[in-house]
């Protein structure tokens, strides 16, 4: 049967969007070029900052930008859409109501994988934005699957994490960003966590280059694998 076309609602930030395409290519079981999926990307960094919107309550400009971008992807032929931004998943229900197309829920997929890998009752450290942590996207999903979410790190460290993630969006992965995340990992380890979730796609970029000592799960890789699964001919 015909393969589905994958849509990427991206730009939040641009490098993680590009990395998602790399991951989709990497995890596709292709034996020839034509076996790969058609992928439509709208990398839209003009969507307002998701964390700022969640903390201020000014949600509508973000919802408008996400919905318009999803509609662009649908018009371009996307059959299933993934969003390589964890914080944007706080708005997923709003997008789904407005655009009649299947979306892969990166948070749910990542937590389901964490449950399989780390086991029931595991304490999982969360490296994520203030917006993702304040809305408890991962905490609540982990609880539903019988795990315990720990995070954010202590306030001063979390403030440094946010600065580091903003820097990655602007300038890419740096040793400075890694050092900040390493401090955050040690802080969470002190709280008893046995594994980590990269709950921000910029965290994924940093940890891929500088893996932590603890076992960790990359939400960006999980999203790619889920998109390939949903777009496979067998799932049509």
């Amino acid at each position: 049967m015909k393969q589905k076309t994958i849509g990427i609602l991206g730009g939040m930030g641009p490098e993680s969007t590009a990395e998602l395409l790399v991951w989709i290519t990497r995890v596709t079981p292709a034996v020839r070029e034509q076996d790969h999926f058609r992928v439509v990307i709208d990398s839209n960094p003009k969507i307002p900052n998701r964390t700022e919107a969640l903390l201020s309550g000014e949600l509508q400009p973000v919802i408008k930008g996400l919905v318009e971008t999803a509609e662009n992807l649908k018009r371009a032929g996307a059959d299933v859409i993934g969003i390589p931004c964890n914080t944007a998943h706080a708005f997923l229900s709003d997008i789904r109501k407005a655009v009649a197309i299947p979306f892969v829920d990166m948070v749910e997929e990542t937590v389901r994988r964490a449950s399989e890998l780390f086991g029931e009752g595991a304490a999982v450290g969360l490296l994520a934005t203030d917006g993702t942590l304040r809305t408890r996207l991962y905490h609540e999903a982990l609880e539903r699957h019988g795990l315990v979410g720990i995070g954010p790190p202590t306030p001063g460290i979390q403030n440094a994490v946010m600065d580091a993630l903003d820097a990655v969006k602007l300038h890419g992965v740096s040793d400075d960003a890694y050092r900040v995340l390493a401090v955050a990992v040690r802080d969470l380890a002190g709280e008893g966590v046995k594994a980590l979730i990269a709950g921000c796609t910029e965290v994924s970029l940093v940890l891929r280059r500088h893996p932590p000592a603890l076992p960790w799960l990359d939400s960006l890789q999980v999203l790619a694998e889920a998109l390939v699964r949903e777009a496979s001919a067998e799932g049509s």
Side-chain angles (χ1 to χ4, degrees):
M1 298 180 71
K2 182 182 177 182
Q3 285 184 335
K4 296 177 183 177
T5 295
I6 295 172
I8 299 178
L9 199 172
M12 306 167 285
E15 187 171 347
S16 59
T17 299
E19 184 69 11
L20 177 60
L21 178 60
V22 172
W23 268 115
I24 289 170
T25 305
R26 192 177 291 156
V27 302
T28 297
V31 296
R32 57 175 185 158
E33 180 181 332
Q34 288 74 24
D35 292 334
H36 284 279
F37 294 92
R38 181 186 175 209
V39 180
V40 179
I41 302 173
D42 191 337
S43 184
N44 183 6
K46 308 305 181 186
I47 295 171
N49 185 284
R50 282 65 58 200
T51 289
E52 291 178 3
L54 290 167
L55 298 183
S56 69
E58 296 292 327
L59 307 181
Q60 287 307 311
V62 174
I63 294 171
K64 181 174 183 291
L66 290 168
V67 167
E68 289 177 350
T69 309
E71 289 174 338
N72 287 344
L73 291 169
K74 184 178 180 181
R75 285 192 295 269
D79 298 302
V80 59
I81 294 176
I83 308 173
C85 172
N86 284 276
T87 312
H89 282 67
F91 305 91
L92 186 57
S93 62
D94 298 289
I95 312 170
R96 281 174 163 163
K97 289 175 186 176
V99 185
I101 192 170
F103 288 82
V104 171
D105 185 336
M106 176 164 58
V107 174
E108 183 63 26
E109 293 285 345
T110 301
V111 169
R112 187 179 299 124
R113 183 74 58 82
S115 177
E116 296 169 357
L117 291 177
F118 306 144
E120 185 174 355
V124 181
L126 298 170
L127 293 169
T129 66
D130 289 347
T132 297
L133 294 168
R134 296 277 185 91
T135 55
R136 296 184 59 80
L137 283 172
Y138 271 102
H139 292 85
E140 293 176 1
L142 286 164
E143 288 170 5
R144 289 196 299 272
H145 287 269
L147 292 91
V148 179
I150 307 295
T154 54
I157 296 174
Q158 178 64 16
N159 291 341
V161 168
M162 287 298 296
D163 290 341
L165 299 181
D166 287 340
V168 171
K169 286 178 184 288
L170 293 174
H171 308 298
V173 175
S174 68
D175 290 341
D176 287 341
Y178 164 66
R179 283 190 285 270
V180 169
L181 288 183
V183 171
V185 170
R186 287 196 296 272
D187 187 76
L188 290 170
E191 295 295 320
V193 308
K194 303 302 182 184
L196 301 167
I197 286 177
C200 169
T201 50
E202 279 67 44
V203 172
S204 297
L205 296 175
V206 175
L207 296 190
R208 276 290 159 192
R209 187 174 297 181
H210 304 282
L214 291 174
W216 70 288
L217 192 54
D218 183 350
S219 59
L220 200 56
Q221 179 183 351
V222 172
L223 175 60
E225 291 170 349
L227 285 167
V228 167
R229 181 195 71 219
E230 293 301 313
S232 68
E234 290 80 5
S236 300

